[in-house]
Amino acid sequence: MWFFTSPRTIVFGEGALEYLKELEGERVFIVTDKVLRKLGIVDKVVEQLKETGMEIRIFDEVEPEPSKQTIKRGAKILSEFGADWIIGLGGGSCMDAAKAMWVLYERPDLTIEDITPFEKLNLRKKARLINIPTTSGTGADVTWAVVITDAERKVKLELASKEVVADISILDPALVLDLPPRLTADTGMDALVHAIEAYTVQWKNDFSDALALRAIQLIFKYLPRAFKNGKNDPEAREKMHNAATMSGLAFSNSQIGIVHAMGHSLGAVFKIPHGRSVAVFLPYVMEYNLSEAASLYAEIAEATGITDGSDEEKARKLIEAVRNLMKELEEPLSIKEMGIPREEFEAKLDELIEKANESTGTIVNPRVPTEEDYRKLFLYAYEGKSVDF
């Protein structure tokens, strides 16, 4: 048995931010970062909230790949403030931080590591959660995943609970119009990885499949336009914003695979931005998965207009299309291209393998890797060598 989890309300399209005016309560706590505050995006949210008459507190200390220390500090301030609403405003880091702070606010008896599918959290006794993404990629606004960095162990904690799915997700395309090209590419590729993995992992299902396929179609069509045209192409911006959330709903209700397992590992060890760290592994993992998932990749290929050939031929054409998209987005096609020296990479190889092997994505990937498989995949991805095993 499986069940589909999503926010109760998803508000999308032009003017979506105005929905905040309808909130009722006494206090609202915004979790964000200093960049968004400097850019004036926090002010846009505050402007809408002021009409509610609620007291507003802003925590803008979230860093990329938020640490346990930041979560604890934010939760302490949140507890002292006593909010009715918590708003995660930003990219995946800010929204995941908001989820984790919410848990510690509601349940001060728990630790961050207690955010698991097996722990009854009993949330919503004190507050409810709203997520407002300002990038188009992570899908964190609708997922039950919470990725927090343990800085001491240099590992990303892949936490999860169905209870931390937001009550409301607000997708306002105006908030992503000015995304720079590099961030557009990195986050867009993250959304593509989510959707492709959601469609091919062992826990895939009819509901996640539908969202994943449509997201993939939108991303292939609109991501290059959003990258090239930026705010001059509001249609591409809006479609990518919707696609990212669709991808989030898809993988949150199926799972991620070893693209994310390896990406999380690389990002934690070498401080590579998340979207870029997962994107680089996508074509190599797809090649690795061919023996078990060629028919699924062929279905994705057909949805994107690739119709000629056998299943394996269509799957390989899809992999080539992924590489061509990455070239168009100026994404690195190998780890070497990221500027990591070979000797430094090899010195950390055992650690990379260990961290990847600990991911839940390992066991639900269409082809479950051994440690030796992981070793080869990391090395092939470093050199840019097509997978032949």
Side-chain angles (χ1 to χ4, degrees), residues 1-4 194-213 216 249-257 292-300 363-367:
M1 182 178 66
W2 195 250
F3 53 93
F4 189 91
H194 288 152
I196 290 178
E197 291 209 289
Y199 196 81
T200 53
V201 292
Q202 295 181 41
W203 291 356
K204 69 195 301 293
N205 56 79
D206 290 343
F207 295 92
S208 61
D209 282 356
L211 287 159
L213 271 186
I216 291 166
L249 285 168
F251 89 83
S252 186
N253 287 282
S254 54
Q255 247 295 353
I256 53 164
E292 301 295 331
S295 62
L296 297 176
Y297 289 136
E299 290 172 8
I300 295 173
I363 60 172
V364 299
N365 197 66
R367 181 182 174 188

Side-chain angles (χ1 to χ4, degrees), residues 60-136:
D60 64 359
E61 300 176 27
V62 179
E63 73 274 36
E65 320 292 343
S67 67
K68 291 172 62 177
Q69 290 74 18
T70 298
I71 302 306
K72 292 176 182 178
R73 186 166 62 252
K76 183 176 184 296
I77 297 170
L78 172 57
S79 296
E80 293 168 351
F81 180 58
D84 306 294
W85 291 97
I86 300 166
I87 295 178
L89 173 65
S93 293
C94 292
M95 291 184 284
D96 282 357
K99 295 173 192 175
M101 290 178 197
W102 180 31
V103 172
L104 297 187
Y105 169 54
E106 297 258 5
R107 294 290 306 275
D109 56 309
L110 299 180
T111 67
I112 292 172
E113 287 82 0
D114 288 324
I115 304 174
T116 74
F118 312 107
E119 180 74 39
K120 186 69 174 175
L121 301 179
N122 292 311
L123 302 181
R124 295 174 174 82
K125 298 294 195 306
K126 297 179 181 179
R128 285 178 286 173
L129 177 67
I130 299 172
N131 279 326
I132 307 175
T134 60
T135 63
S136 302

Side-chain angles (χ1 to χ4, degrees), residues 23 28 30-31 34 54 64 80 84 158 186 232 246 268 293 318 320 326 328 332 334 341 349 356 368 372 374:
L23 299 182
V28 57
I30 301 173
V31 180
K34 295 188 184 302
M54 287 191 286
E80 293 168 351
D84 306 294
E158 294 181 357
D186 287 351
N232 296 319
M246 292 167 69
L318 175 66
E320 187 60 27
M326 292 174 67
E328 193 171 359
S334 69
L349 187 54
V368 178
E372 183 57 28
Y374 264 138

